[in-house]
């Protein structure tokens, strides 16, 4: 069952503006509430017209602009906002526990406080318990398929998310397995393609095909992102939930030409 809340983190930057637009459109498609959140340092002055302008006031202003942007993108949705003192990453990770999805911009910029190690987007993508979308590059809702990076091992969440998004966006799924071709036989046998059949039955409106591509997964998926509506991959945890994102996901967060979905 899809939860009824989408969370988006904002800081007043252009990256956050893109994230708000994407999240608002997604909330409209799902009939979900949109919760816009900002973090701020409790004792910090922000340069501006008034020397006494506080970080809390700056965060409140960012929230007001974000709510207006969300309503402009999707007038039908319910939008709530919240500013909290502290770091953005723990705030968004905590919010993820009661959300269907957390949406962030492609990199930290502006007034959203970030922990010293790494960006908000990479940390939230690594630690959140729900699906995370990092909005970057183009995000034309009317162009391109949903590309799913499928490795044949524990990819059910990735494929399921790809089919769900493709159904909501009225587009196709390209399930891509990347590896090294070691012989003349087709590495993508009938058994691997059959893994998509349960999802084809659940989402009969979605056309899907699976292909094997010779090469490096990160490079192939970055290349495919140029013509995709979004790219869906899974987290790499090595047995420890949220330990790391992995080289493929990390490269996509830096280089993808479209939004990246970390499926859980």
């Amino acid at each position: 069952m899809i939860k009824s809340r989408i969370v988006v983190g904002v800081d007043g930057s252009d990256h956050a503006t893109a994230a708000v637009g994407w999240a608002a459109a997604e909330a409209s498609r799902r009939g979900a509430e949109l919760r816009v959140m900002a973090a701020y340092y409790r004792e910090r002055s922000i340069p501006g017209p008034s020397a006494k302008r506080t970080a809390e006031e700056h965060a409140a202003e960012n929230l007001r602009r974000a709510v207006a942007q969300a309503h402009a993108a999707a007038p039908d949705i319910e939008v709530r906002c919240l500013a909290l003192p502290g770091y953005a990453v723990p705030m968004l990770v905590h919010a993820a526990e009661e959300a269907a999805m957390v949406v962030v911009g492609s990199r930290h910029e502006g007034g959203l406080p970030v922990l010293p190690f790494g960006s908000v987007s990479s940390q939230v993508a690594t630690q959140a318990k729900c699906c995370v979308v990092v909005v970057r590059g183009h995000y034309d809702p009317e162009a391109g398929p949903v590309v799913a990076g499928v490795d044949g091992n524990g990819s059910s969440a990735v494929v399921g998310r790809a089919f769900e998004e493709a159904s909501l966006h009225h587009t196709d799924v390209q399930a891509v397995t990347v590896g090294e071709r070691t012989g003349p036989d087709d590495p993508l046998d009938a058994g691997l393609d059959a893994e998509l059949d349960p999802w084809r039955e659940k989402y009969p409106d979605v056309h899907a095909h699976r292909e094997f591509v010779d090469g490096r997964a990160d490079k192939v998926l970055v290349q495919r992102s140029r013509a995709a509506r979004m790219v869906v991959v899974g987290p790499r945890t090595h047995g420890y939930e949220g330990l790391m994102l992995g080289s493929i996901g990390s490269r996509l967060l830096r280089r993808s030409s479209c939004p990246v979905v970390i499926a859980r």
Side-chain angles (χ1 to χ4, degrees):
M1 178 179 179
I2 299 174
K3 295 180 183 178
S4 59
R5 179 182 300 160
I6 293 175
V7 171
V8 59
V10 300
D11 62 4
S13 68
D14 291 341
H15 301 284
T17 298
V20 169
W22 197 96
E26 190 74 7
S28 180
R29 290 186 187 95
R30 293 170 172 264
E33 169 200 302
L34 180 64
R35 179 160 294 187
V36 185
M37 302 188 72
Y40 62 91
Y41 294 115
R42 189 179 293 277
E43 296 181 3
R44 180 184 175 191
S45 295
I46 302 296
S50 170
K52 294 183 179 179
R53 187 178 181 220
T54 67
E56 185 175 5
E57 291 168 339
H58 182 67
E61 180 182 327
N62 288 338
L63 287 177
R64 285 193 294 270
R65 290 207 308 265
V67 169
Q69 291 160 0
H71 279 141
D76 59 317
I77 63 172
E78 177 184 359
V79 183
R80 299 189 178 188
C81 59
L82 181 65
L84 294 173
Y87 288 113
V89 174
M91 175 190 72
L92 293 172
V93 169
H94 179 72
E97 295 178 3
E98 297 182 350
M101 178 183 294
V102 172
V103 183
V104 291
S106 60
R107 64 187 177 94
H108 169 66
E109 185 175 286
L112 195 63
V114 59
L115 292 170
F117 51 94
S119 69
V120 170
S121 57
S122 63
Q123 290 184 68
V124 173
T126 299
Q127 299 175 34
K129 301 294 185 182
C130 70
C131 172
V132 176
V133 181
V134 179
V135 178
R136 56 168 294 112
H138 66 82
Y139 57 101
D140 184 347
E142 304 300 327
V146 175
V147 172
V150 183
D151 61 9
N153 182 23
S155 299
S156 177
V158 173
V159 175
R161 175 62 62 175
F163 269 81
E164 182 180 311
E165 292 296 339
S167 180
L168 288 167
H169 287 259
H170 307 291
T171 190
D172 300 340
V173 168
Q174 290 183 359
V176 180
T177 299
V178 185
E180 182 178 352
R181 196 180 300 271
T182 57
D185 295 334
D186 184 358
L188 190 63
D189 60 26
L192 283 175
D193 185 65
E195 291 180 3
L196 302 184
D197 288 344
W199 300 104
R200 290 179 174 124
E201 293 178 8
K202 184 174 181 179
Y203 297 97
D205 58 317
V206 175
H207 174 73
H209 70 277
R210 187 168 181 181
E211 60 182 304
F212 180 92
V213 180
D214 202 19
R216 255 180 52 180
D218 54 353
K219 291 186 176 181
V220 169
L221 292 176
V222 167
Q223 189 276 329
R224 291 298 178 96
S225 74
R226 296 169 188 163
R229 194 167 309 206
M230 66 188 76
V231 177
V232 185
V233 294
R236 179 185 175 191
T237 61
H238 288 286
Y240 296 93
E241 184 64 31
L243 180 62
M244 62 185 298
L245 185 61
S247 60
I248 297 172
S250 297
R251 183 176 175 85
L252 277 170
L253 296 192
R254 296 193 304 269
R255 301 294 299 278
S256 176
S257 296
C258 69
V260 179
V261 182
I262 310 299
R264 285 182 173 83

